[in-house]
Amino acid sequence: MKLLASLTLAAVVSTLSVPAMAQFQKPEDAIKYRKAALTVMAAHFGRLGAMANEKVPFDAKAAAENAAIVEELSRLPWAAFGPGTDKGETRAKPEIWTEQAKFKKGSDDLVAAAAQLNVAAKTGNLDNLKKAFGDAGKTCKACHDAFRKD
Amino acid sequence: MKLLASLTLAAVVSTLSVPAMAQFQKPEDAIKYRKAALTVMAAHFGRLGAMANEKVPFDAKAAAENAAIVEELSRLPWAAFGPGTDKGETRAKPEIWTEQAKFKKGSDDLVAAAAQLNVAAKTGNLDNLKKAFGDAGKTCKACHDAFRKD
């Protein structure tokens, strides 16, 4: 339970420190930025998934490095979903702007799960990584199902 | 001189810890990833530039947050310039692969400058930020001039 408690604390602290830096010249800049941040995060999340799913050998150092990047990147995309960024080269559904509280909760859930994933990866234990990876993956899927056009 | 020494040490330590995680399924995945990492880095670098150039008021907290992201992102693109990633949706010049030592030095220079920028931003002093931003900008330009098609 000690691990769980510290995972939860880390997640809360991390959520509180989400920076709000919505500074884009044009809506298309915001769209490009948020897609880029999600692309980088997904690449590193995928490397953790390959370990969690035992497609590649578990490498504790690589897991810790990738999870740190996922945590850092998990905070970034959300400030770029501001007003007027619903049109253009984006698969964002209108519900993002009509259901803002739900969208906010979805992104907060990911940020918290990414922080837990980083803590879990740093334990150097594959079972911890598997559990935290699965939990984080659910937060990705929940938002994609609700808020992303396929 | 004490500040300069700690800036230099931070830069060296950071350069040594660059992770080498070249794990892409397809060349186009690597190209998409490196462009995304550079896009995110450029967005945060631009926010520091707006402060350094006094287009927006200096905000020490925002400067520190943006510089931390720039430092983290500065390490990522380079592992994605592997063999076979010279063709496709990229402005990368062939010289990246024919002048690997020079390209490596260019990316190392940016990583070091980004680490110095992060240290400078955390001093909360606008003059330090201006100096470090200018130095980092030179490393961007050097590589773009040598290795990026316009």
Side-chain angles (χ1 to χ4, degrees), chain A residues 64-140:
Chain A
E65 287 172 350
N66 281 300
I69 297 168
V70 169
E71 181 181 4
E72 180 88 20
L73 271 291
S74 74
R75 302 191 192 105
L76 302 186
W78 322 115
F81 285 90
T85 65
D86 55 331
K87 298 274 185 295
E89 293 286 313
T90 177
R91 289 193 282 163
K93 283 187 184 173
E95 284 77 4
I96 290 174
W97 293 273
T98 57
E99 298 175 17
Q100 290 253 295
K102 184 181 169 188
F103 183 67
K104 171 81 167 60
K105 180 173 184 314
S107 61
D108 285 351
D109 286 348
L110 169 65
V111 171
Q116 290 194 346
L117 180 60
N118 191 15
V119 173
K122 285 188 171 37
T123 64
N125 177 297
L126 180 56
D127 286 332
N128 288 344
L129 178 66
K130 285 181 182 183
K131 168 77 169 67
F133 178 82
D135 290 345
K138 279 175 207 158
T139 70
C140 302

Side-chain angles (χ1 to χ4, degrees), chain B residues 74-122:
Chain B
S74 74
R75 303 191 191 106
L76 302 185
W78 321 116
F81 285 90
T85 65
D86 55 330
K87 299 273 186 294
E89 292 286 313
T90 177
R91 289 193 282 164
K93 283 187 184 174
E95 283 77 4
I96 289 173
W97 293 272
T98 57
E99 298 175 18
Q100 290 253 294
K102 183 180 169 188
F103 183 67
K104 172 81 165 60
K105 182 176 183 312
S107 60
D108 285 351
D109 286 348
L110 169 66
V111 171
Q116 290 194 346
L117 180 60
N118 192 15
V119 173
K122 284 188 173 35

